[in-house]
Every structure is written in C-alpha cells, then in structure tokens.
C-alpha cells in the first residue's frame, strides 16, 4: 500500500527541524517539504521530496498536487511579528495569501482522494492584544476567546487565518448545489514563544529569551531588548513539536474547538536571565529596552489558559521552566557550541 504523504511548508525553520525528525522516526508517512531555501543536508536525508520555492507560487503547489496524494499538511511558513512590522504588505501576502493557497491546496487534495486532509496550523499568542499593562496584570491566564484584538500585522494575520481555516473546515462553499467530496480538517494551536536548543529564531519578538541563552552559551554579551519584568508564556521546542503531532493524531470527535492555547511556563525576562546565569556564571547580560518591541510584548498575555487542549486531546508539556533548562536547553546547547569550539 502507498504510504500517506505529509506536506510541510517552512520546513527548514525552527519548528520544521524537530517535526521532520519526529515524523521520520515515526516512519509512517512520506515527507514532502516546501521552503524558500534548500534544507540542511542532515534534514534533507529524511525527506522523500524537497521543493524549493514560495507558498505564493500556485503552479508549484499544483505540481505537488499532481504528483502526490496528500492527507496531512503542517503549514509552518510565516513571517514573524517583528519582521512583519517592517514589511506589513509582504507579511499579509505570505501569512494570509500563502495560507489561503495552502488551504485551497488541501481542499483540492481532499476532493481528489475523497478523504479529509488534516491541516495543522501554528497560530500564536500574537493573536491576543491586551489594551494596557493593567489589563495584562489583572487578566490572569487568558482563554482563547478573550482579548483577541491584536496590535501587530502578524497577530492580525494569525487571528484571521484561524477563522479562514474554520471556514474551510465547516462552511466551505456552503451554497454550492453539489455536495463536496472531501474537506479540510483544520486544527490550530496558539503557540507561546518557543525556545529551541538547536536553532536560533529570527524575526520574532519573543526572540529575547532564546537569544539570551544562545549568546551566553557562545560566550557573547547580550543586551535584552525588553524590561526585566516583561512576561509572556514560553515553551521548549520538543513540547511544541510534540503538541502538533498529538493534535494531528487526536480523534476528530474529541475536538470541541478549532484553535487551542498551549502553555508551559511563563517567566519574566529577569527569570530567564537568572536561570542563564546559573548555567553560565560569567555571562554578560544587560537590558537595553527597545520601547517599540516592548510595546508588542506588553500587548501579549502574561500567560494563557490551555485547559481545553489538556482536556480534549491530552496536551501535557514535559518541560516546566526548571526542567526545560536543566534537562533540555543547557545540556543540548552546551554540546552544540562545544562541538564548534
Ligand atoms: C514572534 O515573536 O513573532 C513569535 C510568536 C510568539 O508568535 N515567536
């Protein structure tokens, strides 16, 4: 029997790394990737077919459609929040039009083989917009339907695409005379800031935490661009990848909503600095606040309520703040940079 095919967009990015390794270890699916740049060689080895190009290139998506029978999509490609503020029109093109292209692609796949296509979409805490620091302090752990008035282009894009996904899953061509053969089974998570020991992020606003850790491990000074008391939720990358896979595997009937908050720990920037200093006592870390980027962090919740994900599909992160540092970040990062010395 032919193996089912999973398509991963933005496959060379931070989440793609861990996801490809996990899917390859699982071995039940052929992996097809799409990214603007060629994959690194060790990653490319796990992949059945690698397409280099843009999610805005519909003819490329058409080629994938004609060559493969796809039943799962992880649509990871996006411009993150800081980058999107410098090029909002391009962000809209990539984040919204690109997502629309992928949803159409998934719909065509579903119609051609007659089965649902599971579509995993990483949204983010950027979908929230706390109107003031006071509101942020008193809100507690926010639920999915609360405070959804984002202030960034990226946040607007994510919030809208969550709804676009829901449209494809529930109401696609609702006035059509003919019934439609297949459908998109859209499932989204709102990720907190993700911290990977393997890759360094770029273009995000939550990047200060991973940047602080990687700089200390490399012995480089780091000036954190948010205040010491800045607080948003974070998660260790293996838990992020694990959550996507777990949600992908969840029975449709157990899902009571299309978009789920995910949380793990919610340190302040100063908590991160203190933890980094314990592991790298000589690290040179200072705070030089960029008030504009700080404004974006202030608009994101201090923590999220992920009770629905825990209840519906058993989300249970392995790493709390202490374990993330002790068992994952510090040992893996040390190995990584020691090898390069
Ligand atoms: C960003 O900072 O843009 C992302 C996010 C939290 O969505 N890491």
């Amino acid at each position: 029997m032919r193996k089912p095919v999973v398509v991963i967009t933005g496959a060379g990015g931070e989440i793609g790394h861990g996801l490809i390794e996990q899917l390859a270890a699982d071995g039940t699916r052929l992996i097809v990737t799409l990214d603007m740049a060629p994959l690194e060689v060790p990653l490319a080895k796990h992949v059945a077919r690698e397409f280099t190009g843009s999610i805005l290139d519909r003819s490329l998506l058409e080629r994938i459609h004609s060559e493969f029978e796809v039943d799962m999509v992880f649509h990871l490609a996006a411009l993150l929040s800081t980058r999107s503020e410098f090029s909002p029109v391009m962000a809209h093109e990539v984040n919204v039009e690109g997502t629309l292209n992928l949803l159409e692609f998934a719909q065509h796949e579903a119609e051609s083989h007659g089965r649902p296509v599971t579509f995993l979409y990483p949204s983010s805490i950027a979908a929230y917009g706390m109107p003031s620091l006071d509101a942020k302090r008193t809100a507690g752990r926010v639920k999915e339907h609360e405070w959804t008035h984002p202030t960034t282009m990226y946040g607007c894009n994510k919030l809208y695409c969550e709804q676009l996904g829901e449209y494809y899953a529930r109401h696609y061509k609702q006035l059509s005379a003919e019934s439609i053969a297949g459908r998109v089974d859209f499932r989204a998570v709102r990720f907190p800031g993700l911290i990977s020991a393997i890759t360094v992020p770029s273009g995000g606003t939550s990047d200060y935490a991973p940047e602080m850790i990687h700089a200390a491990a490399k012995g480089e000074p780091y000036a954190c661009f948010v205040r010491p008391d800045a607080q948003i939720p974070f998660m260790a990358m293996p838990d992020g990848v694990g959550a996507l896979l777990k949600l992908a595997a969840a029975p449709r009937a157990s899902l009571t909503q299309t978009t789920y908050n995910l949380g793990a720990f919610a340190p302040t920037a100063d908590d991160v600095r203190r933890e980094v200093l314990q592991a790298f006592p000589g690290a040179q870390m200072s705070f030089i606040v960029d008030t504009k980027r700080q404004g974006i962090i202030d608009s994101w919740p201090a923590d999220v309520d992920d009770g629905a994900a825990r209840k519906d599909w058993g989300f249970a992160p392995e790493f709390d703040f202490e374990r993330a540092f002790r068992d994952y970040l510090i040992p893996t990062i040390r190995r990584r940079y020691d090898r390069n010395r």
Side-chain angles (χ1 to χ4, degrees), residues 30-327:
L30 285 186
I31 304 172
V32 172
T33 61
L34 174 55
D35 200 293
M36 293 291 280
L39 294 179
E40 290 165 14
V41 176
L43 212 55
K45 282 192 187 132
H46 297 307
V47 164
R49 186 73 176 280
E50 180 184 345
F51 290 87
T52 305
S54 167
I55 54 171
L56 298 176
D57 181 352
R58 290 196 192 148
S59 61
L60 187 54
L61 293 174
E62 200 44 53
R63 238 177 85 200
I64 303 176
H65 175 60
S66 64
E67 287 185 39
F68 295 97
E69 201 174 289
V70 176
D71 71 351
M72 189 173 281
V73 174
F74 289 87
H75 174 40
L76 310 179
L79 295 193
L80 296 185
S81 55
T82 289
R83 173 109 190 267
S84 294
E85 288 312 303
F86 288 102
S87 341
V89 173
M90 197 209 283
H92 192 278
E93 277 166 15
V94 173
N95 295 346
V96 175
E97 289 168 36
T99 300
L100 182 67
N101 288 348
L102 262 297
L103 285 165
E104 272 295 303
F105 166 83
Q107 181 63 40
H108 290 162
E109 286 287 336
E111 284 176 29
S112 67
H113 55 57
R115 286 172 282 116
V117 171
T118 311
F119 192 109
L120 274 298
Y121 181 67
S123 183
S124 135
I125 47 164
Y128 294 107
M130 310 305 297
S132 66
L133 266 179
D134 259 1
K136 174 166 171 156
R137 281 191 198 110
T138 51
R141 304 170 73 219
V142 304
K143 289 195 187 339
E144 284 86 349
H145 63 277
E146 296 174 324
W147 305 103
T148 46
H149 289 277
T151 64
T152 61
M153 179 49 123
Y154 172 73
C156 295
N157 297 164
K158 287 289 178 189
L159 188 60
Y160 171 62
C161 286
E162 291 173 7
Q163 306 208 328
L164 205 52
E166 183 150 348
Y167 167 76
Y168 271 79
R170 298 212 180 149
H171 310 293
Y172 183 72
K173 288 195 176 165
Q174 56 196 288
L175 298 183
S176 171
E178 292 130 44
S179 68
I180 292 161
R183 66 184 177 85
V184 177
D185 180 355
F186 181 84
R187 304 169 178 207
V189 289
R190 284 193 190 145
F191 274 131
L194 289 168
I195 313 182
S196 168
I198 316 288
T199 52
V200 189
S202 77
T205 316
S206 63
D207 292 3
Y208 60 89
E211 281 174 0
M212 216 185 283
I213 306 165
H214 283 264
K218 285 190 277 185
E220 292 172 359
Y222 183 72
C224 179
F225 57 81
V226 293
R227 290 187 315 267
D229 69 339
Q231 186 180 12
I232 56 167
F234 282 99
M235 177 183 279
M237 187 59 85
D239 278 333
V241 169
L244 279 178
L245 290 168
K246 195 157 196 178
L247 178 56
R252 176 73 247 172
S254 67
L255 305 182
T256 58
Q257 49 196 63
T258 44
T259 299
Y260 289 90
N261 276 344
L262 300 181
F265 42 89
T268 63
D270 203 40
D271 293 332
V272 177
R273 185 190 65 93
R274 271 189 272 115
E275 204 63 38
V276 172
L277 272 177
Q278 275 205 11
F280 304 101
Q284 287 173 264
M285 284 179 290
S286 56
F287 289 90
I288 301 179
V289 177
D290 174 335
T291 48
K292 292 181 177 158
R293 290 181 95 186
Q294 175 72 59
I296 292 179
I297 293 294
D298 288 343
S299 78
W300 294 350
D303 203 357
V304 290
D305 181 336
D306 58 11
R310 289 174 189 263
K311 183 162 171 277
D312 286 4
W313 46 276
F315 169 64
E318 244 183 81
F319 297 103
D320 60 16
F321 186 52
E322 209 194 303
R323 273 206 69 198
F325 273 82
R326 193 191 59 213
D327 298 347

